[in-house]
Amino acid sequence: MSDTHAQSVAFVRDTAIPAAPAPANETGPVKWLRENLFATWANALLTIAALFVIYLILSATLPWILGGVWTTSSLSECREVLAGETGACFSVLSERWNQLLFGFKYPSELYWRPTLALVMLFVAAAPVLFFDLPRKLLIFTALYPFIAFWLIWGGSILVPIVALLGVVGGYLVYSRFVTQSFATGFFGGIVAALIVWYIGGFITEALAPANPMLAAVPSRDLGGFMLNLMLGVTCVSLSIPLGIALALGRQSSMPLIKGICVIFIEFIRGVPLITLLFVASVMLAYFFPPEANVDLFLRVVIMITMFSSAYIAEVIRGGLAALPKGQYEAADSLGLEYAQAMRLIILPQALKISIPGIVNIAVGLFKDTTLVSVISMFDLVGMIRGPILASTEWNGVYWELLGFAALLFFVVCYGISQYSQWLERRLATDHR
Amino acid sequence: MADTAETQKIETPKMEVSDEVAISIQKMNKWYGAFHVLRDIDLTVYRGERIVICGPSGSGKSTLIRCINALEEHQKGSITVDGTLLSSDLKNIDKIRSEVGMCFQHFNLFPHLTILENCTLAPIWVRKTPRKEAEATAMHFLEKVKIPDQAHKYPGMLSGGQQQRVAIARSLCMRPRIMLFDEPTSALDPEMIKEVLDTMIELAEEGMTMLCVTHEMGFARQVANRVIFMDQGQIVEQNEPEEFFKNPQSPRTQLFLSQILGH
């Protein structure tokens, strides 16, 4: 073909065409508008209709928000100030601010303690969330739970120290025996920790100072958004490792371990969270020895953790199933042990696949912490429904209070979601 | 057919093959459920030997070499690798696996790790080699397979041939005494097959003990000192490549060779 049409096809360019600017309606905002808002007649109509709806919504809410009153001390005063004009009664937020955040029983002179714990939480979480940060910061992360516990609950400093010693002792025993077999190390570590805690329990009791450095605050005095944050952070950070363990256990070739994991997951998933919370608040005491007075906060943490770990386990199982069998075989063929293969090869990939699912559950869990209001714990929603709306001053200020609660939760959950998207981009190495 | 296998047993090693036994398989049998995949496999591999295993698909050749490093369990008979009897003891299995390198059809590199990390992972965690030393070894072998400049890329950025060469380097970093290849070129384009085969030939010239499941008959002719033909889970025929290709004894082998070389 090429020889028959050689003459007509041959062509040599001798002058270059200079680059010209694009037509005005093909660049910048004009182009964007044309393509996105006014591409066709139907499209243009929809744009105008949408603008009208946006106008309706804003014209109703903006005056309400902008005309809001912030300084009165009751709803009736709000109404006097507004004198028939549209406007929100935000005074409830400014007046009950501390109650919304800390609950109504936490001693007001001690508010600095949970606030400091929150600030330290950001420092402690940073090296876990952003792994480009120096790894030494993880030491602080490891100490953080004990520091936060002491700050929030106060009391004898011996309690968190004994708890820390138990964990350290358990870890030492574990690392000493894990070379023999994982089971020996694991159970040896648990036994060692229990022994340290048991002995430590007597020591703390004997040495408990009458006036501890930080005044003790009982769990029932915790409340407000602080309670939601505490439950959310504790349960998410506990349920992810438990979920991983359950997911691996469910894949195990040992029938006993597999059976326990399957039964646990299927049972917990089949029961509503509210039911579990009622069990925590009313019935769980029956399962502990009579002299053991297990804190309500701890009981709720156990229940929510169990609940979400069952879901996380299933999400991670999906991630494990998505890995090609070749990855397991390659790890095996290099002589890696089971624990090494899981930690270095399988889990990093499976967890990466599971990120959207895990975040989904973490966000859901955080919002579900408001359910504790049902078992008469005064979290943010519990505070709003209970002490604030029931008071004579603020009876009937629904929109402002619940809108505020929604906003607080939205900010946190949206932050988690944005973080997870960043994480997925950061971990994208496979270029498929 | 089974008696042909017996009569064809040859133990006349070509160059550089020692009398030292690297792998000894005796009366090994394997079932998948009720399906009898491997039947009475008897095979002795001497150190320095290069064996090519061929046969139709489903003949059990991949299963056979996967049994050698316990990726598959055998139910009867014995496998001894480097003097260690393969049993269900995990310590034994891990020991054998760290001595035996394996390359897969689909490379099975770890996509979340860089090429260098792929190569240093096992030496660091299994052999407890210091990181610096492991990286030096890894670079040495990456140079050998001619891709040191890709060391800090991820597997997904490499071509199939490059990935397979990385997989070979990754196995070599463990300093294995035996290498198993499970159809290393079957998933590759013709151009890439050559670069992988060249790497394998170089390895063979250095005296590595190799068991290779492949359909690359040119490779078998050039490198192997024994070709094994398998069908229906049995070793049907084995011989020196020269004899094997020129003068196949069993009718099944003749048919297979006429099909594979006929075009």
Side-chain angles (χ1 to χ4, degrees), chain B:
Chain B
M1 272 186 206
D3 52 344
T4 10
E6 288 304 312
T7 52
Q8 285 302 319
K9 198 162 211 170
I10 49 142
E11 248 120 65
T12 45
K14 239 163 43 176
M15 49 180 192
E16 319 118 30
V17 176
S18 73
D19 314 334
E20 194 192 336
V21 176
I23 303 170
S24 151
I25 302 176
Q26 277 160 359
K27 293 267 169 251
M28 194 261 282
N29 280 270
K30 175 170 176 60
W31 288 263
Y32 283 130
F35 180 55
H36 201 168
V37 210
L38 293 176
R39 309 179 191 179
D40 277 352
I41 301 289
D42 275 305
L43 179 66
T44 308
V45 181
Y46 293 92
R47 187 153 309 293
E49 256 198 308
R50 298 164 301 276
I51 296 181
V52 163
I53 305 173
C54 60
S57 62
S59 58
K61 49 200 191 315
S62 286
T63 312
L64 170 60
I65 69 165
R66 288 158 61 85
C67 280
I68 295 174
N69 67 352
L71 285 181
E72 305 278 355
E73 219 177 332
H74 60 280
Q75 278 89 30
K76 238 176 90 183
S78 73
I79 301 178
T80 313
V81 181
D82 249 348
T84 313
L85 181 70
L86 195 56
S87 59
S88 54
D89 178 16
L90 282 177
K91 286 248 155 64
N92 248 346
I93 290 179
D94 282 337
K95 180 170 178 291
I96 286 176
R97 281 173 176 166
S98 63
E99 301 290 334
V100 178
M102 172 119 187
C103 288
F104 301 87
Q105 182 178 0
H106 296 288
F107 335 131
N108 298 348
L109 294 177
F110 306 130
H112 63 301
L113 300 175
T114 62
I115 300 304
L116 189 63
E117 286 166 343
N118 262 282
C119 293
T120 56
L121 184 110
I124 289 175
W125 291 94
V126 179
R127 290 255 190 274
K128 315 289 180 207
T129 318
R131 178 173 294 273
K132 277 261 158 55
E133 200 184 314
E135 279 175 1
T137 315
M139 286 314 290
H140 168 75
F141 284 113
L142 284 175
E143 259 160 52
K144 218 168 121 141
V145 301
K146 301 185 185 67
I147 27 181
D149 44 326
Q150 316 276 10
H152 295 285
K153 290 191 179 168
Y154 287 95
M157 302 160 145
L158 269 56
S159 72
Q162 289 173 323
Q163 290 194 40
Q164 191 60 290
R165 283 183 285 151
V166 172
I168 295 174
R170 177 176 72 178
S171 300
L172 292 178
C173 284
M174 287 294 281
R175 308 269 183 189
R177 289 157 65 81
I178 300 162
M179 282 289 289
L180 309 174
F181 293 87
D182 188 0
E183 307 206 23
T185 55
S186 305
L188 297 176
D189 293 343
E191 281 181 353
M192 297 173 180
I193 292 180
K194 185 173 178 305
E195 61 189 50
V196 171
L197 288 183
D198 284 347
T199 309
M200 289 168 63
I201 291 168
E202 205 178 308
L203 202 57
E205 281 164 357
E206 287 168 13
M208 175 67 77
T209 313
M210 290 164 71
L211 262 82
C212 185
V213 172
T214 184
H215 295 124
E216 297 297 331
M217 291 304 138
F219 172 78
R221 274 216 180 88
Q222 187 181 348
V223 173
N225 39 13
R226 202 169 359 147
V227 180
I228 292 176
F229 176 71
M230 285 183 73
D231 189 32
Q232 294 179 344
Q234 319 163 53
I235 295 179
V236 174
E237 185 162 349
Q238 53 176 326
N239 209 332
E240 288 182 31
E242 198 78 359
E243 274 299 299
F244 179 84
F245 290 112
K246 218 190 292 169
N247 200 7
Q249 301 294 310
S250 131
R252 187 66 192 87
T253 318
Q254 288 160 2
L255 179 65
F256 177 77
L257 284 178
S258 71
Q259 276 167 348
I260 202 167
L261 301 173
H263 54 84

Side-chain angles (χ1 to χ4, degrees), chain A residues 345-365:
Chain A
I345 308 298
I346 305 302
L347 282 177
Q349 298 182 61
L351 289 179
K352 190 176 91 184
I353 301 172
S354 319
I355 289 173
I358 294 177
V359 167
N360 206 7
I361 288 162
V363 165
L365 179 158

